[in-house]
Amino acid sequence: MGLAKRIIPCLDVTNGRVVKGVNFVGLRDAGDPVEIARRYDEQGADELTFLDITASSDNRGMILHIIESVASQVFIPLTVGGGVRRVDDVRDLLNAGADKVSINTSAVTNPQLVKDAADRFGSQCIVVAIDAKRSTDASGYTWEVFTHGGRNATGLDALEWGEKMEALGAGEILLTSMDRDGTRSGFDLEITRQFSDNLRIPIIASGGVGNLQHLVDGILQGRADAVLAASIFHYGEYTVNDAKGFLATQGIEVRL
Amino acid sequence: MIDIAVVDYGMGNLRSVAKALEHVAPELDVRITDSAQDIRDAARVVFPGQGAMPDCMRELDARGLRSAVLQAANSKPFLGICLGLQMLLDFSEEGNIEGLGLFSGKVEKFHSPAMVDEQGNRLKVPHMGWNQVEQTMKHPLWQGVTQGSRFYFVHSYYVVPTDISIVAGETKYPTSFACAVAKDNIFAVQFHPEKSQIAGLTLLSNFVLWEGGSAITKLRKVA
């Protein structure tokens, strides 16, 4: 008896639709966000994460509308990220019904945003999303933080960055391996484990899930507190319930 | 006549609580309010809260809502959620601040050295996610909620009431703590029923029907 490991379906949303790409490019339509959110809730999803990948700021209102609609029908925690630049953006998303707001690029360009948002709304609702990519140096592998949906290198070491975000008030880290995202070859377990072992706040592993064993590996080997996946659920290969059933057979505590 | 007042003192997102109440009781007037008069007039009061307790106490007083909240807690069905539970105690380690003092006891932090599970893995703080709730008291608000159901938690502090007879539910992380307390017309929980899917909605739908008090029988002695 204890805290369950969480399974979090992720919905990448643009122009009012859920889409999914490979390595951040090549988007495929996966359906209506409200309908998909309801389906995952019925299947036993522990939380839902929405990433607004709309490039233009003209369509910002659309994600607020979607979140309002989901929040009046689905009573599990909702995290929303994408294009969050100001404390007011955080406020607008929370008011629309988000429980947590995920900050990625703006945490790099303006780390004070993380502190200001955590001070104002509480650490419990501030998630910092980190897109990390492997590179090699003389000492072996390192991981670098990328921003703008994976396009821009920052020169920041991912683990040091994660520790800094924890110190500034982040309540949780969403760690995405850019090398693995969309490849269906499993999480980057090494960087996940480093984050889990070195940070005191919960870590959500993301990027690369292609089967249910990958979820188990993220938890048992990567020691993640939660695992996030998109395509294995979107196209009906597995339900969230299938995933939980499999995790339970591997001795992992889940909410059934 | 307001059926349910959700007390708004500027701390955190109250939309989720209001939406969940509207979902279980669409015929009722659920109002998010910072008006002391609304709180006095309402048939039932929900007292939520997020963030840090010193900020919550300060903001509650800045809006002049302390006496209305105390009066409600002493007179009508009253549901505290998260910080809305912690604030009912005498004292909190968070900022070493006095609470409303409706219940004797204090609010303590999950201290890092003790945060290790049975396998020796370090446990994260905040305690975030779905954990099991053992009902330690028979209570109208637990009606239809299966013993050991999981509810959604997110918190770094927990309550330690002096009088263990008010403990209505316990959760382990890694040791047992009181996650629900009940006395007379007050029921207060550390977890978020508004985010706990069916178990949470069941508890909220019990609350909108609850008249307060009732015969409360202990199921077992709380250690």
Side-chain angles (χ1 to χ4, degrees), chain A residues 1-2 4 41 46-47 68 75-77 94-95 98-100 124 172 197 199-201 225 253 255, chain B residues 13 15-16 19-20 23 50 121-122 124-125 128-132 150 152 154 173 194-197:
Chain A
M1 166 160 165
D41 175 49
D46 296 311
E47 293 185 29
E68 272 182 18
F75 299 98
I76 57 177
L94 294 176
N95 284 341
D99 300 286
K100 309 182 205 178
Q124 84 288 339
E172 195 170 38
D197 286 352
L199 272 64
R200 282 168 301 216
I201 55 178
D225 300 283
E253 192 149 6
R255 178 177 70 108
Chain B
N13 174 21
R15 286 288 289 273
S16 294
K19 279 182 168 169
H23 184 80
Q50 288 180 344
N121 297 318
R122 190 170 56 166
K124 302 300 179 72
V125 177
M128 185 188 285
W130 299 80
N131 208 335
Q132 288 182 296
R150 289 183 186 274
Y152 187 80
V154 51
Y173 195 69
E194 76 280 13
K195 286 288 147 184
S196 297
Q197 224 221 10

Side-chain angles (χ1 to χ4, degrees), chain B residues 2-6 21 28-31 42-46 207-208:
Chain B
I2 300 169
D3 295 307
I4 304 173
V6 178
L21 289 164
L28 297 186
D29 178 11
V30 177
R31 198 168 305 174
R44 292 182 169 73
V45 170
V46 175
F207 175 71
V208 305

Side-chain angles (χ1 to χ4, degrees), chain B residues 135-137 164-170 176-178 218-223:
Chain B
Q135 299 160 23
T136 53
M137 174 194 285
I164 58 169
S165 76
I166 66 170
V167 176
E170 286 186 320
S176 288
F177 68 90
K218 296 290 285 190
L219 287 178
R220 72 170 186 86
K221 191 166 162 41
V222 181

Side-chain angles (χ1 to χ4, degrees), chain B residues 177-205:
Chain B
F177 68 90
C179 66
V181 301
K183 193 181 181 196
D184 305 328
N185 55 299
I186 300 175
F187 196 87
V189 293
Q190 182 59 64
F191 51 79
H192 290 270
E194 76 280 13
K195 286 288 147 184
S196 297
Q197 224 221 10
I198 292 164
L201 296 176
T202 303
L203 190 147
L204 291 176
S205 58

Side-chain angles (χ1 to χ4, degrees), chain B residues 61-83:
Chain B
D61 283 334
R63 286 165 176 73
L65 297 177
R66 180 189 286 244
S67 69
V69 167
L70 284 172
Q71 192 182 28
N74 283 313
S75 62
K76 55 186 139 198
F78 184 96
L79 178 64
I81 298 174
C82 195
L83 266 290

Side-chain angles (χ1 to χ4, degrees), chain A residues 149-246:
Chain A
R151 291 191 298 277
N152 297 2
T154 64
L156 296 164
D157 176 78
L159 183 60
E160 284 173 20
W161 181 243
E163 288 170 338
K164 180 174 178 186
M165 291 299 98
E166 174 177 295
L168 283 180
E172 195 170 38
I173 300 286
L174 168 56
L175 176 66
T176 301
S177 161
M178 289 185 41
D179 307 291
R180 299 301 181 89
D181 196 57
T183 66
R184 305 172 63 86
S185 58
F187 295 118
D188 185 330
L189 298 173
E190 271 181 77
I191 187 65
T192 305
R193 177 68 175 260
Q194 286 190 26
F195 267 71
S196 300
D197 286 352
N198 286 285
L199 272 64
R200 282 168 301 216
I201 55 178
I203 306 298
I204 305 168
S206 158
V209 175
N211 60 48
L212 302 182
Q213 184 61 42
H214 291 152
L215 301 176
V216 171
D217 294 343
I219 291 166
L220 296 184
Q221 295 178 45
R223 291 198 182 170
D225 300 283
V227 285
L228 181 137
S231 57
I232 62 161
F233 298 132
H234 293 341
Y235 302 113
E237 271 170 88
Y238 303 103
T239 65
V240 178
N241 221 11
D242 292 337
K244 288 188 160 181
F246 185 69

Side-chain angles (χ1 to χ4, degrees), chain A residues 133-155:
Chain A
K133 193 171 185 174
R134 274 183 192 238
S135 57
T136 40
D137 67 6
S139 62
Y141 280 119
T142 59
W143 283 263
E144 183 180 358
V145 178
F146 277 66
T147 59
H148 297 87
R151 291 191 298 277
N152 297 2
T154 64

